[in-house]
């Protein structure tokens, strides 16, 4: 057990980081679909919820772009969406296991621009 437990915990950490990167890719694909229909990405106020519901009754909205809802990151926290972004058209971030900006290891931020 003393050997297996650290190996298992390391596997879970890597799996969570991989799941966050996969979810972010799915969110990026949904954001691209939204932009193709509407002509721009959702602004920072509308946030990712604009992928699920037509908040401003835009006639061009052809969603939902992601179902059934915007996912939480693997640690149960909301993804941080900023538009316009500092690193591109938009920034998408998971703050990792601790849910706080910065950190190292499984607490490190996962970003769409890295």
């Amino acid at each position: 057990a003393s050997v297996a437990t650290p190996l298992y915990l390391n596997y879970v950490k890597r799996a969570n980081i991989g799941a966050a990167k996969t979810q972010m890719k799915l969110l990026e694909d949904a954001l691209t679909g939204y932009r193709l229909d509407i002509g721009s990405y959702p602004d920072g106020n509308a946030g990712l919820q604009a992928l699920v519901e037509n908040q401003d009754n835009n006639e061009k909205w052809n969603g939902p772009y992601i179902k059934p809802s915007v996912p939480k990151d693997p640690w149960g926290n909301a993804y941080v969406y900023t538009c316009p972004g500092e690193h591109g058209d938009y920034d998408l971030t998971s703050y990792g296991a601790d849910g706080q900006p910065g950190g190292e290891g499984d607490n490190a931020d996962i970003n769409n621009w890295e």
Side-chain angles (χ1 to χ4, degrees):
S2 64
V3 172
T5 300
L7 292 174
Y8 173 76
L9 292 176
N10 191 36
Y11 172 78
V12 170
K13 289 176 189 178
R14 286 193 322 255
N16 284 340
I17 291 168
K21 289 179 180 180
T22 299
Q23 285 179 329
M24 289 175 76
K25 175 65 176 134
L26 292 172
L27 288 169
E28 288 177 322
D29 291 345
L31 286 162
T32 298
Y34 180 97
R35 182 186 55 81
L36 290 172
D37 287 347
I38 303 298
S40 63
Y41 292 106
D43 66 27
N45 293 330
L48 296 174
Q49 195 59 30
L51 300 174
V52 178
E53 57 187 73
N54 189 357
Q55 297 174 326
D56 58 1
N57 296 317
N58 189 313
E59 292 179 8
K60 296 179 182 178
W61 194 85
N62 195 29
Y65 299 92
I66 194 161
K67 292 181 182 180
S69 62
V70 176
K72 302 278 188 189
D73 73 12
W75 300 277
N77 302 310
Y79 285 96
V80 179
Y81 171 76
T82 307
C83 186
E86 293 180 20
H87 305 278
D89 292 327
Y90 62 86
D91 294 347
L92 192 57
T93 301
S94 165
Y95 286 144
D98 65 355
Q100 302 295 318
E104 296 178 9
D106 62 334
N107 292 332
D109 297 350
I110 302 166
N111 305 296
N112 69 320
W113 62 87
E114 295 177 340

